[in-house]
């Protein structure tokens, strides 16, 4: 099979989950490393190869500035964005923000996460039909991250609009850098940067007990961050602080709807929730690709990928690799040695993973306790699975216990 054959490229795929998973399966078998001439990228599909890409930050860079035209608003946002930084800058920035997301710090948030979840469930008023994303899966993580940063949670519709534009483009090549994409991003980033900068300056003038104030005061190697570096932090947390959690919570509910026996078992014994959530992370990977730029010529078997090339490492494909997981298309709530890559790997492993896991565990436990039954209704809408695996809208029929 060649890369010019129909159906092997990113643009050839339909965006629904079944079609994307079928593509992954076919490519893992026949072209695990393949060149997509139309999109101008290389694809990597197998677990071992995806892990290699994520683990080698020197060869597979997260800095795409050499491939993007200079643009003031985009450059300002990227300045403090650890997802787009390589060592040594990455170490400095991550050291600062990681202190806010250690397991011990996150564990202290459990009472507040539980209280917000209960407030959202109470607000449903015992309705037998709800819309999970709007009623719970989106407002829960956004409220938590906004409170951490000291930002009004009432502004969350604005955060959602930014995320839709920057994190979840509904097109198959919308996340690949180019001049058109840069200009589209700049419009949104100009607004977001101004919002974040105003908030940061207010905290520098009047510090409070929140993460933004801590970032303003923090030092690494005797240096403090500039306001414009903190813009990238705050903006990233507002966006990434809810995207994965929102998608994951919907994915857990959808999976339990398809496996009522597992739902009943977890309702009877919530101790199995952490392992079940990890299995949903593997089976329905929230963010399908992770993108890198080669800094040198690199070989994968017979394939030579030149320097300066975009590589899409498909996390969602790696997580279903038959070479790594037994019976990979089956939901196994207690799966052992679940080495999924949904939160990444290496130096860019997701800082917010402990918080996302906590939020979803608490939310699902509360839902199972309050609802004796839940089932997905008609009218569900989903993101393009080439970018995000998750529901944009998930109507549920529920029976309150």
């Amino acid at each position: 099979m060649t890369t010019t054959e129909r159906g092997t490229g990113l643009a050839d795929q339909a965006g629904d989950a079944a079609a994307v998973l079928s593509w992954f399966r076919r490519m893992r078998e026949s072209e695990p490393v393949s060149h997509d001439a139309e999109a101008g990228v290389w694809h990597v599909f197998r677990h071992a190869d995806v892990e290699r890409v994520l683990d080698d930050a020197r060869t597979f860079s997260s800095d795409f500035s050499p491939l993007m035209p200079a643009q003031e608003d985009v450059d300002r946002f990227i300045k403090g964005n650890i997802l787009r930084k390589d060592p040594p800058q990455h170490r400095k920035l991550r050291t600062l923000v990681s202190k806010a997301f250690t397991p011990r710090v996150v564990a202290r948030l459990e009472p507040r996460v539980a209280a917000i979840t209960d407030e959202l469930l109470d607000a449903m008023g015992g309705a037998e039909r709800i819309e999970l994303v709007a009623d719970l899966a989106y407002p829960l993580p956004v409220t938590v991250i906004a409170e951490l940063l000291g930002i009004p949670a009432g502004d969350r519709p604005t955060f959602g609009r930014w995320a839709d534009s920057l994190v979840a483009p509904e097109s198959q090549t919308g996340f690949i850098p180019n001049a058109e994409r840069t200009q589209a991003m700049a419009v949104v980033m100009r607004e977001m940067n101004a919002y974040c900068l105003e908030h940061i300056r207010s905290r520098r003038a009047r510090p409070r007990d929140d993460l933004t104030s801590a970032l303003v005061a923090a030092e690494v190697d005797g240096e403090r961050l500039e306001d414009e570096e903190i813009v990238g932090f705050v903006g990233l947390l507002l966006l990434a602080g809810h995207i994965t959690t929102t998608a994951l919570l919907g994915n857990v509910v959808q999976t339990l709807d398809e496996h009522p026996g597992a739902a009943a078992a977890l309702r009877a014994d919530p101790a199995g929730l952490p392992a079940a959530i990890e299995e949903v992370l593997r089976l329905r990977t929230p963010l399908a690709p992770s993108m890198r730029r080669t800094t040198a010529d690199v070989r994968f078997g017979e394939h030579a990928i030149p320097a300066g090339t975009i590589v899409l490492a498909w996390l969602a494909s790696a997580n279903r690799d038959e070479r790594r997981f037994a019976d990979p298309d089956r939901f196994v709530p207690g799966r052992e040695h679940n080495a999924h890559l949904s939160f990444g790997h290496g130096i860019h492993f997701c800082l917010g993973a402990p918080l996302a896991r906590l939020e979803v565990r608490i939310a699902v436990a509360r839902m199972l306790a309050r609802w004796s039954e839940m089932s997905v209704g008609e009218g569900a809408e989903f993101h393009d699975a080439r970018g995000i695996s998750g529901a944009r809208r998930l109507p549920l029929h529920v029976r309150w216990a």
Side-chain angles (χ1 to χ4, degrees), residues 307-386:
T309 299
I310 290 177
V311 173
L312 291 181
W314 288 99
L315 311 178
S317 175
N319 285 343
R320 295 214 183 200
D321 189 350
E322 303 82 354
R323 294 150 197 81
R324 184 63 182 80
F325 302 99
D327 206 359
D329 295 327
R330 188 165 69 92
F331 176 59
V332 182
R335 184 182 293 271
E336 297 181 355
H337 310 299
N338 192 346
H340 67 75
L341 299 174
S342 296
F343 287 121
H345 181 73
I347 67 169
H348 288 288
F349 183 84
C350 179
L351 272 172
L355 181 57
R357 286 167 166 144
L358 175 74
E359 290 170 336
V360 173
R361 175 177 59 79
I362 291 173
V364 175
R366 288 294 205 272
M367 287 188 291
L368 291 174
R370 294 232 195 170
W371 301 335
S372 59
E373 297 178 14
M374 62 180 179
S375 59
V376 176
E378 295 182 356
E381 299 173 4
F382 297 92
H383 291 284
D384 188 320
R386 291 166 291 188

Side-chain angles (χ1 to χ4, degrees), residues 1 3 27-36 42-46 49-50 52-53 298-305 311-312:
M1 184 179 290
T3 53
M27 298 302 282
R28 283 196 304 270
E29 185 61 33
S30 62
E31 284 192 85
V33 177
S34 64
H35 182 229
D36 187 336
W42 282 79
H43 299 289
V44 177
F45 294 97
R46 290 181 180 172
D49 292 334
V50 169
R52 173 187 170 188
V53 170
V298 61
R299 296 196 67 87
F300 281 86
E302 64 183 20
H303 299 287
I305 303 178
V311 173
L312 291 181

Side-chain angles (χ1 to χ4, degrees), residues 1 7 68 73 92 119 158 178 190 198 209-210 214 221 251 282 304 324:
M1 184 179 290
M68 300 171 66
D73 301 291
K92 171 189 173 183
E119 290 168 8
T158 302
N178 56 43
R190 187 175 304 126
E198 180 181 1
D209 184 19
D210 57 40
D221 299 332
N251 289 346
R282 184 194 68 81
R324 184 63 182 80

Side-chain angles (χ1 to χ4, degrees), residues 63 78-82 84-96 220 225 229 233 347-348:
D63 179 6
I78 291 175
K79 187 173 184 180
N81 185 337
I82 59 174
R84 293 290 171 254
K85 294 295 181 183
D86 294 331
Q89 296 93 337
H90 175 269
R91 183 196 65 81
K92 171 189 173 183
L93 296 173
R94 188 171 176 113
T95 298
L96 285 174
V220 170
L225 291 176
E229 287 180 295
F233 269 138
I347 67 169
H348 288 288

Side-chain angles (χ1 to χ4, degrees), residues 169-382:
E170 295 300 320
S171 66
Q172 65 272 20
T173 57
F175 44 78
I176 298 175
N178 56 43
E180 182 180 357
R181 173 77 177 135
T182 299
Q183 288 304 314
M185 291 167 61
V187 174
V188 180
M189 286 184 175
R190 187 175 304 126
E191 178 186 356
M192 186 173 65
N193 290 343
Y195 179 98
C196 294
L197 190 59
E198 180 181 1
H199 175 63
I200 291 161
R201 287 173 174 168
S202 74
R203 288 300 186 265
R204 191 174 291 281
R206 294 178 298 279
R208 298 185 185 177
D209 184 19
D210 57 40
L211 179 56
T212 306
S213 299
L215 289 172
V216 167
E219 293 186 3
V220 170
D221 299 332
E223 296 182 13
R224 291 191 176 187
L225 291 176
E226 302 171 9
D227 286 353
E228 292 194 353
E229 287 180 295
I230 303 174
V231 164
F233 269 138
V234 173
L236 174 64
L237 292 173
L238 281 177
L239 298 177
H242 73 271
I243 286 289
T244 299
T245 307
T246 298
L248 175 58
L249 186 48
N251 289 346
V252 171
V253 170
Q254 189 180 355
T255 303
L256 294 181
D257 176 59
E258 295 168 355
H259 300 84
L266 292 171
R267 187 174 278 110
D269 182 11
L273 268 173
I277 290 168
E278 295 305 304
E279 178 68 344
V280 175
L281 278 163
R282 184 194 68 81
L283 197 68
R284 286 186 157 106
T285 309
L287 297 179
S290 190
M291 187 167 60
R292 296 292 189 269
R293 172 184 61 86
T294 56
T295 61
D297 295 349
V298 61
R299 296 196 67 87
F300 281 86
E302 64 183 20
H303 299 287
I305 303 178
T309 299
I310 290 177
V311 173
L312 291 181
W314 288 99
L315 311 178
S317 175
N319 285 343
R320 295 214 183 200
D321 189 350
E322 303 82 354
R323 294 150 197 81
R324 184 63 182 80
F325 302 99
D327 206 359
D329 295 327
R330 188 165 69 92
F331 176 59
V332 182
R335 184 182 293 271
E336 297 181 355
H337 310 299
N338 192 346
H340 67 75
L341 299 174
S342 296
F343 287 121
H345 181 73
I347 67 169
H348 288 288
F349 183 84
C350 179
L351 272 172
L355 181 57
R357 286 167 166 144
L358 175 74
E359 290 170 336
V360 173
R361 175 177 59 79
I362 291 173
V364 175
R366 288 294 205 272
M367 287 188 291
L368 291 174
R370 294 232 195 170
W371 301 335
S372 59
E373 297 178 14
M374 62 180 179
S375 59
V376 176
E378 295 182 356
E381 299 173 4
F382 297 92

